[in-house]
Amino acid sequence: MTALIIGLDGGGTSTRCVVVSETGEVAGRGRAGGANVVSVADPAANLLAALRAAMHGLDPALVAGGVFGLAGSGAERARRLAGEAWRSAGLPGCPAVVADVLVAFASATAEPDGTVLIAGTGAVAARIARWEVAAVADGHGWLVGDEGSGVWIGRQAVTAALKSLDGRAGPTVLLDRLASLGTSAGEIVSTVYAQVADSGPAWLASFAPLVDAAARDGDAAACAILDEAARRLAATARALGPAAGPLVLAGSLLTQPTELARRVRAELGDAARPIPARDGAAGAAALALRAAFPAADLHRRVIGECA
């Protein structure tokens, strides 16, 4: 019987898993909540849930390898969580754990070299050389980095609402659109801290779509937030210098038709000609196939099958 290969992409908002055959056909898919080991409260449970869903009805004994793409992949905790999920799912061996930037890049192209810029829950850019991460800019986490990310945008939105509320800034529709947080500064602050403590800082990224919509409506504060986010993201990509190969834009804020994506492309300029990432789990599966069956060039087939 044909061998099975697993690819998993653990993002800040969702975890996606795909199982493919050794010839590149999709055999199973799974999805669960976020698994970013820095910003998600319980990444282990979500890794296991996505893995079990993708393997439903499939024989674990046929699994020949797998790749997990995780933010914070260099940390021992990420490798430990991946291994625990793998064993709990009853799978033989153990998965390789690589950076989320690598699986994002691999989801868009079969070229071995290039650059990837991610803006989702977090934000980071990386130079890829011969399927290895050669250099990284930002990705330092929500507290001291991830500039231009969903969490960064959400935090700026709360700050803008508070400034409007106490008179430090002019009116903004963000105050009304964040009304679920409370009607006074004290209520808003208390709700934010409680939610971050309970759900993790990734919760702040849920406000990014509200900022995007407000910017489309011409709200000055929302436009200023997205303009600054776009400048910071473009600066993060440029920090790596010019490189051969494609520039891949990844993460929900840059692959969806958002105002932020439009502004980032404008900041990067026409010469950049970026291409969008596809399914990060497919990128992880393509990398796993490369490792398990080096003689077979199935990369394009896998990312095309999962598009």
Side-chain angles (χ1 to χ4, degrees):
M1 297 180 68
T2 185
L4 298 176
I5 300 295
I6 296 174
L8 183 145
D9 179 29
T13 303
S14 67
T15 300
R16 296 176 303 280
C17 186
V18 63
V19 182
V20 301
S21 70
E22 63 186 86
T23 53
E25 292 88 0
V26 175
R29 297 178 188 269
R31 191 182 183 100
N36 185 311
V37 298
V38 176
S39 61
V40 174
D42 190 6
N46 293 329
L47 288 175
L48 181 57
L51 192 54
R52 282 178 168 165
M55 283 297 298
H56 181 72
L58 300 174
D59 185 356
L62 296 177
V63 173
V67 166
F68 282 28
L70 300 175
S73 61
E76 178 59 31
R77 184 184 179 211
R79 293 190 292 272
R80 176 176 55 80
L81 291 175
E84 288 175 356
W86 191 266
R87 290 188 294 274
S88 295
L91 303 178
C94 61
V97 180
V98 303
D100 56 341
V101 292
L102 183 57
V103 300
F105 181 79
S107 77
T109 179
E111 295 296 320
D113 308 304
T115 304
V116 58
L117 173 64
I118 299 179
T121 303
V124 64
R127 172 74 49 75
I128 307 300
R130 304 304 303 174
W131 298 117
E132 297 284 344
V133 178
V136 176
D138 204 352
H140 300 311
W142 72 279
L143 189 60
V144 294
D146 287 2
E147 295 184 351
S149 68
V151 170
W152 186 93
I153 290 170
R155 188 177 48 168
Q156 300 305 313
V158 173
T159 299
L162 289 170
K163 286 183 175 180
S164 178
L165 188 62
D166 65 18
R168 288 178 292 155
T172 172
V173 299
L174 293 175
L175 188 55
D176 292 331
R177 297 187 184 189
L178 298 179
S180 63
L181 298 179
T183 56
S184 69
E187 288 179 348
I188 292 172
V189 172
S190 295
T191 300
V192 168
Y193 278 101
Q195 287 287 348
V196 169
D198 182 56
S199 304
W203 170 80
L204 285 164
S206 64
F207 298 128
L210 300 180
V211 178
D212 206 80
R216 289 178 189 273
D217 293 339
D219 182 76
C223 288
I225 291 171
L226 293 192
D227 282 342
E228 184 61 22
R231 282 193 291 270
R232 294 187 183 213
L233 287 167
T236 297
R238 292 193 187 104
L240 298 170
L247 168 62
V248 173
L249 297 184
S252 59
L253 297 182
L254 298 183
T255 56
Q256 300 297 316
T258 63
E259 269 297 292
L260 179 63
R262 183 182 68 79
R263 293 168 194 236
V264 167
R265 287 176 179 270
E267 283 287 334
L268 292 170
D270 294 336
R273 302 181 67 180
I275 59 175
R278 299 182 184 181
D279 184 355
L287 293 172
L289 271 170
R290 285 181 175 275
F293 304 102
D297 185 12
L298 299 171
H299 194 133
R300 289 184 179 85
R301 181 172 187 175
V302 171
I303 61 178
E305 285 271 339
C306 294

